[in-house]
Amino acid sequence: MQIRRTENCETCGGTGAKSGTGKETCSTCKGRGEVRYAQQTPFGQFVRTSTCDACNGTGEIIKDKCNTCGGTGKEIKTKKMKVKIPAGVDTGSIISMREEGEAGDRGGPNGDLYIYINVVEDPIFKRSGNDIYLTVPISFTEAALGAEIQVPTLEGITSHNIQEGTQTGTEFRLKNMGVPNLKGYGRGDLFFTVEVKVPTKLTDRQKELLRDFANETGENIKEHKKGFFDKVKDAFN
């Protein structure tokens, strides 16, 4: 990951003063960083306190400013860092990194860096809490006869047996194969739904076998006969 942040100036060490020089106590506020103004009114004397304009509230004055940072004690830099993403994070999760934020005032330590996670949607896996959902296509033959099918998981491909006569839309559950719990114990489940894919292009032999199958089961199939316009469309395709 790469971020831009303010860091303490390397030339002056965050003091804002040239090397070999230092800061002096502000003569206006005497180092307090604030000044008081007394105002006499008909109701008595009122004292108002405000930030010292001469030193901007620091109580110190830099006469010889650092050429690198111009006396601010800070400079903007780009930093590359490695971020460890714990298992189970989701959109909205926050990762904090101590002292990786903006530089502190007057050469002090950096603040903290907070990283807000936004998980990109996966084209295969759909997440709900710690559970994972997906659809697995199977053939008509696999659904009718039963088969050992391949199911993608977060760890890779696993095998699962489906029974003969499995209908499209049937849901199966693989326990403890979902997303790990962010708190470090247990994990969700993986649910997959099978979808029977109907072949769109059949050979004459395959069509004949399906007709025989329909006859064996007593199913009366009224096939669509191609008309004139269907044949013209096929000729152009």
Side-chain angles (χ1 to χ4, degrees), residues 93-109:
S93 298
I94 302 174
I95 299 175
S96 63
M97 301 181 68
R98 291 185 58 82
E99 298 189 2
E100 290 292 354
E102 298 286 302
D105 293 331
R106 304 182 187 182

Side-chain angles (χ1 to χ4, degrees), residues 91-166:
T91 296
S93 298
I94 302 174
I95 299 175
S96 63
M97 301 181 68
R98 291 185 58 82
E99 298 189 2
E100 290 292 354
E102 298 286 302
D105 293 331
R106 304 182 187 182
N110 286 21
D112 298 336
L113 171 66
Y114 293 90
I115 303 171
Y116 290 78
I117 301 297
N118 182 36
V119 180
V120 178
E121 191 170 318
D122 190 88
I124 298 176
F125 301 105
K126 305 300 178 185
R127 180 176 178 177
S128 177
N130 289 333
D131 294 329
I132 294 292
Y133 295 83
L134 72 150
T135 300
V136 178
I138 61 174
S139 68
F140 170 78
T141 307
E142 290 173 326
L145 301 180
E148 181 181 84
I149 63 172
Q150 303 297 300
V151 180
T153 71
L154 299 179
E155 281 76 28
I157 302 297
T158 188
S159 298
H160 187 80
N161 291 318
I162 59 173
Q163 295 181 345
E164 62 180 55
T166 296

